[in-house]
Amino acid sequence: FRHSDVLIIMQFISLRITFLLTLIVQSSLSVPVPAKPKLGKADHVLGENGDLQSANTGIARWAAAAGSKVVGDNIVGDNSSPNDLQSANTGIARWAVRSKLDGASSGNNMGHQHSNQNLTTGVEREQLLGMYHVFEDFAPHNTISVGGYWSNVNMTGNLYCEMEKVPICQELSAVNEHRRCFRYQNENERLNYGSLLLNTSDIKIVTPDRKMYLLPFPHPFNITVVKTTPIAGCQNNPITCHPIVSNGCLVYVCHVLQNTKAFQVTVNIEGNLGIVDMIAVCHYETAQFIPAHVAFRLLNKAPGDVVCHFVGVPNHLMCKNEKQQP
């Protein structure tokens, strides 16, 4: 080779080495860009196995936030402040974190599932044990196994949040549903909302029997139905109000679905706890529910079927103030 040729080759090799070293340094210093979230429809969160899980209290969306992790029965957010502790009161939060969610979207109490039913047989059945039913389950002498985290949950959070910044309060209503968020301590606003929807100023608040606080949730136990009675004033779309922690804020979410009725289910608790009056709400118009709604999955039912669920404490109903028939 001529001297000039050797210089050209050496310059070329030097440039290639410099280029490769630059790539190595950049790759070691750069932060990986996360994949674009895979979102569900309406109220879904999507896990790594392709399953969509109903975020029926907004907990799954909260738990899916970057940095969230399981700490005992709680989920702690990435800023680790006390208000970031969210009770996993339906098991959904723990599922949301452990499934390594790709993303979450907003919506309303209706989930969907793309693949199999493995959630139904695992987390959901354990955490929602005895919550969902067909009406025939409330027949006298029928024994029901109950447990999980759908009742007797202690909820704490900031009572003075700006409502427009509370994520669950920005969600859209579902089909045939009216819903609204309220400050936890503002009972008058909830009553005014109830009067508007029920078209009467004479309304009543119906709460589950306080004896429910004595029941051994989340441990499983058996109840035996004594009788089931329609609740007067709650036979024409009662309003159900749920205390919910969303982004560290404790609020009430009140909503009503069309063609809904409420019943008092008097049960006998195994052991020495005796008689307890539980509340069950039944939805008779479910054609607009998506096929993989959690109630359908747990009951092996489909849109159009009547589905019922118990109302745990500290939830309550707002109904017309009609006298109960003896």
Side-chain angles (χ1 to χ4, degrees):
F1 292 100
R2 291 178 300 176
H3 180 69
S4 58
D5 293 334
V6 173
L7 289 176
I8 292 173
I9 292 173
M10 291 181 66
Q11 288 175 351
F12 176 76
I13 294 174
S14 176
L15 288 173
R16 293 290 294 176
I17 292 174
T18 302
F19 176 73
L20 291 174
L21 289 174
T22 300
L23 288 180
I24 292 172
V25 171
Q26 287 179 343
S27 63
S28 65
L29 296 177
S30 62
V31 177
V33 178
K36 184 178 180 181
K38 299 177 181 178
L39 301 181
K41 301 176 181 178
D43 196 26
H44 310 137
V45 288
L46 179 59
E48 61 181 356
N49 60 0
D51 292 327
L52 286 168
Q53 165 71 37
S54 170
N56 62 350
T57 59
I59 293 175
R61 284 187 299 282
W62 185 92
S68 295
K69 60 184 179 179
V70 178
V71 179
D73 273 348
N74 297 317
I75 304 299
V76 61
D78 51 1
N79 62 10
S80 300
S81 72
N83 286 336
D84 263 342
L85 280 177
Q86 168 65 54
S87 172
N89 63 344
T90 59
I92 292 175
R94 286 194 294 275
W95 178 89
V97 174
R98 289 171 178 167
S99 293
K100 299 179 182 178
L101 293 180
D102 292 315
S105 65
S106 63
N108 227 309
N109 201 22
M110 294 182 185
H112 186 64
Q113 188 169 333
H114 275 226
S115 55
N116 54 41
Q117 301 293 319
N118 63 342
L119 290 175
T120 299
T121 58
V123 172
E124 286 179 335
R125 288 199 185 281
E126 176 187 350
Q127 305 297 339
L128 303 178
L129 180 63
M131 178 179 177
Y132 289 97
H133 297 276
V134 295
F135 185 76
E136 291 73 18
D137 289 345
F138 303 140
H141 310 298
N142 187 41
T143 297
I144 300 171
S145 294
V146 175
Y149 288 86
W150 57 267
S151 186
N152 297 23
V153 178
N154 293 321
M155 308 188 78
T156 59
N158 187 351
L159 300 178
Y160 302 98
C161 294
E162 297 181 38
M163 300 300 286
E164 62 273 14
K165 295 183 179 180
V166 180
I168 196 168
C169 297
Q170 311 310 315
E171 298 176 0
L172 300 176
S173 297
V175 177
N176 295 328
E177 181 198 43
H178 295 283
R179 62 174 291 157
R180 186 175 168 185
C181 264
F182 301 91
R183 293 188 185 278
Y184 184 84
Q185 69 274 31
N186 201 332
E187 182 176 331
N188 286 336
E189 280 195 9
R190 297 200 302 273
L191 291 173
N192 291 337
Y193 179 70
S195 296
L196 177 66
L197 291 186
L198 296 172
N199 196 29
T200 178
S201 60
D202 191 14
I203 67 174
K204 62 182 178 182
I205 292 181
V206 180
T207 59
D209 193 331
R210 293 193 64 82
K211 290 182 183 178
M212 286 193 66
Y213 283 107
L214 302 177
L215 303 184
F217 288 96
H219 304 291
F221 58 97
N222 291 330
I223 61 176
T224 300
V225 178
V226 176
K227 63 178 180 179
T228 298
T229 309
I231 300 176
C234 298
Q235 297 303 292
N236 186 19
N237 305 329
I239 302 164
T240 306
C241 294
H242 311 278
I244 293 174
V245 178
S246 179
N247 197 31
C249 300
L250 180 58
V251 298
Y252 261 109
V253 177
C254 297
H255 69 131
V256 58
L257 289 165
Q258 296 301 308
N259 204 357
T260 296
K261 300 179 181 181
F263 300 86
Q264 178 178 289
V265 183
T266 302
V267 301
N268 189 21
I269 311 297
E270 65 178 357
N272 299 319
L273 292 176
I275 299 296
V276 174
D277 292 323
M278 300 178 69
I279 295 175
V281 172
C282 293
H283 303 294
Y284 290 82
E285 188 174 314
T286 65
Q288 299 297 325
F289 287 26
I290 63 172
H293 188 286
V294 60
F296 298 146
R297 295 203 304 275
L298 291 172
L299 300 174
N300 195 26
K301 295 296 180 179
D305 294 332
V306 177
V307 295
C308 305
H309 61 84
F310 281 123
V311 176
V313 289
N315 303 279
H316 68 261
L317 307 181
M318 291 191 288
C319 304
K320 294 181 179 180
N321 190 19
E322 298 177 2
K323 291 185 179 181
Q324 190 73 31
Q325 297 297 320

